[in-house]
Amino acid sequence: MKNINKSEIAKPNYPVKVLQFGEGNFLRAFVDWMINKANHSNNLNMGVVLVQPLANGMVPMLKAQDNLYHVVLEGIKEGKPVREIDCVDCIVDAVNPYNEYEHYKNYFLSEDLEFVISNTTEAGISRVQNEDIYATPPQSFPGKVCALLLERFKKYNGDTAKGLTFICCELIENNATTLKEIVLELAVQNNLDAAFVSWINNACHFCNSLVDRIVTGFPKDTIKELQAEIGFEDNMLVTAEYYHLWAIDANPTVMEKFPLHKAGLHVEWVSDMKTFRDKKVRVLNGAHTALVPVGLLAGHETVKEAFADADVESFIRGMVDAEVLPNIEGDTEELKAFAAEILDRFFNPYIKHYLKDISLNSLSKWVTRDLPSLKDYQSKTTELPERLSLSLAALLALYHPENKIGFKANDTPELLTQINQVWTSDTSIAEQVKSILSNTEIWGEDLNQIGGLSDKVATFFTLITEKGMQHVLQSL
């Protein structure tokens, strides 16, 4: 079988207009797929350079095949099965700033550069104490952005035409606005020139956005068949559902420079991101995040397999209907229809979405996607929501170093160390749960302040570990 490279597949010579922080499956099957579509159908003429946010990542594998890869989409459209395979050729280069900083620097100082797109997970847009913005590179994503903009400001002498547009895909509320706030904080902390701060405010755009597509990643079970079909040994091939939606809060100037909607893509330019975000994040992502520990502890491997379990499906649908939807503004019937459409996507027969693959950084995901619904429910009813509370207990059980399924959490190392220290301490389950819930580094607040939550979570945790997840689900 042929290796995939530019001698086998001709690559257009696109100018580098996008610097993308994140080289993982989601961005490659969503943003890069969209840009690729628009390049071929609407003459967008936009090249992308992928930046590896962490020291270890996929850049070597991408470079090995000249940054070419295929996206395989399968799903249901208008009641009929749909399948599509595209070769993405818009990636000009992929760089690791930790070992090729000057090469990376040349790209972010490029005259053609217009956009910075990111998905560094919910944990990525965060503050780091005593951040060194002069490191090569700085530790955090906002630190990297501050350093990037400072170098660009200096090179172009504050030319407002050389500002950049940031479109953030991280699933936190006001993602780009939060990124800008931290960058400006870093500028003040480092006594940077007031003219630089003014340039950020006046020459750069920070656009909040919301993304929606279930990306299942590398299809390890069917890769041989797919490679035979495409005729190449593509080790970066990524699979996803056909459905996609990108909502972007931006002014008309940004829309004109990035007209993906004109290529027939489901891109919406919106002005009310909060309502839009609440629906999507709390229903789809909140359900996914709650499903992961519950499904894994119930012995399932994939989303579809877990949802085929009547107890698990009932748990998720009950959570969404009774504990999530009542806390979202909007017409009740429209919200129910929206939720029904979202949850039906969990049954997509064409995608194999492994629960372990979507368990990355589950702590910050639960905080962003499920904690707001739990707090709103208690605020409205003065009671704790059973299913959302159970999802938290299941998450703690999954993150226990001696969980019964041999699961190893993939999360922020410092937080995992803190959790493991609590679990191995010589105290009761109730005290251990209370200690973990008090950790503001994990939850952003002391969850023991939510009346009764610690006791309820400890009770559920004990039931899970002693009776098993299936028993707990059936007892609800």
Side-chain angles (χ1 to χ4, degrees):
M1 189 177 296
K2 294 182 290 186
N3 293 323
I4 183 171
N5 55 56
K6 60 185 179 183
S7 65
E8 296 288 348
I9 298 177
K11 284 190 73 173
N13 188 26
Y14 295 120
V16 175
K17 294 187 179 181
V18 178
L19 195 65
Q20 177 177 298
F21 283 85
E23 83 292 11
N25 291 324
F26 182 82
L27 286 183
R28 291 189 296 110
F30 187 78
V31 171
D32 303 321
W33 172 82
M34 286 194 188
I35 292 172
N36 190 70
K37 282 281 190 185
N39 280 344
H40 286 275
S41 66
N42 204 47
N43 299 314
L44 185 64
N45 195 35
M46 187 170 282
V48 182
V49 168
L50 305 188
V51 178
Q52 189 172 288
L54 303 175
N56 297 311
M58 297 181 176
V59 161
M61 293 178 68
L62 282 161
K63 286 185 174 181
Q65 47 190 62
D66 291 333
N67 304 300
L68 290 161
Y69 64 93
H70 291 81
V71 174
V72 179
L73 305 176
E74 293 181 303
I76 303 294
K77 182 181 181 183
E78 298 175 354
K80 297 180 180 179
V82 60
R83 187 169 187 269
E84 181 180 304
I85 300 179
D86 292 300
C87 180
V88 175
D89 61 19
C90 63
I91 310 300
V92 176
D93 199 1
V95 297
N96 181 349
Y98 294 87
N99 59 27
E100 44 185 345
Y101 188 81
E102 289 302 315
H103 186 46
Y104 154 74
K105 179 179 175 180
N106 288 336
Y107 281 123
F108 70 66
L109 293 178
S110 165
E111 198 153 349
D112 291 329
L113 189 65
E114 295 180 350
F115 293 92
V116 175
I117 296 173
S118 69
N119 185 15
T120 55
T121 79
E122 284 91 329
I125 301 181
S126 57
R127 294 166 174 84
V128 170
Q129 283 192 334
N130 303 314
E131 175 87 272
D132 179 7
I133 64 166
Y134 299 103
T136 55
Q139 180 181 347
S140 73
F141 172 52
K144 292 179 179 69
V145 169
C146 187
L148 178 162
L149 291 176
L150 181 60
E151 292 282 357
R152 194 170 177 87
F153 171 79
K154 291 177 178 177
K155 176 173 180 177
Y156 294 107
N157 298 312
D159 184 351
T160 55
K162 296 303 179 184
L164 299 174
T165 296
F166 293 80
I167 304 179
C168 295
C169 301
E170 292 83 356
L171 282 174
I172 62 170
E173 192 166 5
N174 299 319
N175 41 27
T177 302
T178 303
L179 173 63
K180 181 180 180 181
E181 287 174 357
I182 301 175
V183 169
L184 291 176
E185 287 174 12
L186 289 169
V188 171
Q189 290 167 13
N190 288 273
N191 299 311
L192 301 181
D193 198 312
F196 170 60
V197 173
S198 177
W199 181 78
I200 292 176
N201 284 319
N202 297 316
C204 298
H205 302 285
F206 289 79
C207 305
N208 299 316
S209 91
L210 187 67
V211 296
D212 191 359
R213 164 171 273 174
I214 296 173
V215 174
T216 48
F218 186 73
K220 54 187 177 183
D221 293 341
T222 59
I223 186 60
K224 294 300 181 184
E225 293 89 338
L226 286 170
Q227 288 180 341
E229 181 179 354
I230 63 177
F232 291 99
E233 189 175 343
D234 184 352
N235 294 312
M236 296 303 292
L237 184 148
V238 57
T239 57
E241 67 173 336
Y242 185 81
Y243 178 89
H244 67 280
L245 167 65
W246 197 0
I248 306 173
D249 184 355
N251 62 38
T253 302
V254 174
M255 183 172 66
E256 289 171 10
K257 287 184 176 181
F258 201 49
L260 297 179
H261 57 289
K262 292 183 179 179
L265 297 162
H266 193 182
V267 176
E268 295 191 22
W269 302 91
V270 302
S271 57
D272 181 12
M273 185 64 75
K274 184 184 185 304
T275 301
F276 208 98
R277 179 187 181 280
D278 278 355
K279 285 199 307 183
K280 188 266 178 180
V281 173
R282 293 198 184 196
V283 176
L284 174 63
N285 301 106
H288 257 157
T289 298
L291 178 66
V292 166
V294 170
L296 285 170
L297 291 169
H300 303 301
E301 292 187 351
T302 68
V303 170
K304 184 176 181 296
E305 181 187 323
F307 230 51
D309 180 332
D311 294 327
V312 176
E313 182 193 4
S314 176
F315 164 75
I316 292 295
R317 289 193 184 277
M319 185 191 85
V320 171
D321 290 343
E323 300 175 2
V324 176
L325 292 184
N327 305 311
I328 302 175
E329 294 181 6
D331 180 81
T332 301
E333 293 306 313
E334 287 182 5
L335 286 171
K336 286 182 178 179
F338 171 81
E341 180 185 24
I342 288 291
L343 295 181
D344 282 347
R345 288 161 60 192
F346 285 27
F347 283 113
N348 188 335
Y350 303 103
I351 61 176
K352 203 164 188 177
H353 205 182
Y354 284 93
L355 296 171
K356 285 184 178 180
D357 290 345
I358 55 177
S359 68
L360 173 68
N361 292 330
S362 284
L363 294 171
S364 59
K365 286 177 178 176
W366 194 89
V367 170
T368 302
R369 305 171 180 186
D370 291 309
L371 179 58
S373 293
L374 184 147
K375 292 170 67 176
D376 284 351
Y377 183 96
Q378 193 204 38
S379 176
K380 285 185 177 181
T381 68
T382 70
E383 297 178 356
L384 285 168
E386 291 288 307
R387 293 166 180 82
L388 284 164
S389 299
L390 174 57
S391 76
L392 177 55
L395 180 58
L396 297 192
L398 190 68
Y399 273 48
H400 195 291
E402 297 179 3
N403 63 75
K404 294 180 180 179
I405 62 172
F407 176 85
K408 291 186 178 180
N410 188 357
D411 215 310
T412 306
E414 294 82 4
L415 300 183
L416 291 178
T417 298
Q418 292 171 25
I419 289 174
N420 288 343
Q421 286 174 346
V422 174
W423 283 137
T424 55
S425 64
D426 188 21
T427 55
S428 67
I429 293 295
E431 288 300 317
Q432 290 172 339
V433 168
K434 187 175 292 184
S435 176
I436 293 173
L437 295 188
S438 71
N439 191 327
T440 57
E441 289 185 48
I442 298 175
W443 316 109
E445 59 185 283
D446 181 355
L447 295 189
N448 291 307
Q449 298 303 309
I450 301 176
L453 182 61
S454 177
D455 290 339
K456 183 173 282 289
V457 169
T459 299
F460 273 136
F461 178 91
T462 302
L463 286 172
I464 292 169
T465 53
E466 292 183 357
K467 301 288 187 178
M469 179 56 71
Q470 213 76 43
H471 172 86
V472 180
L473 292 175
Q474 291 170 2
S475 68
L476 285 175

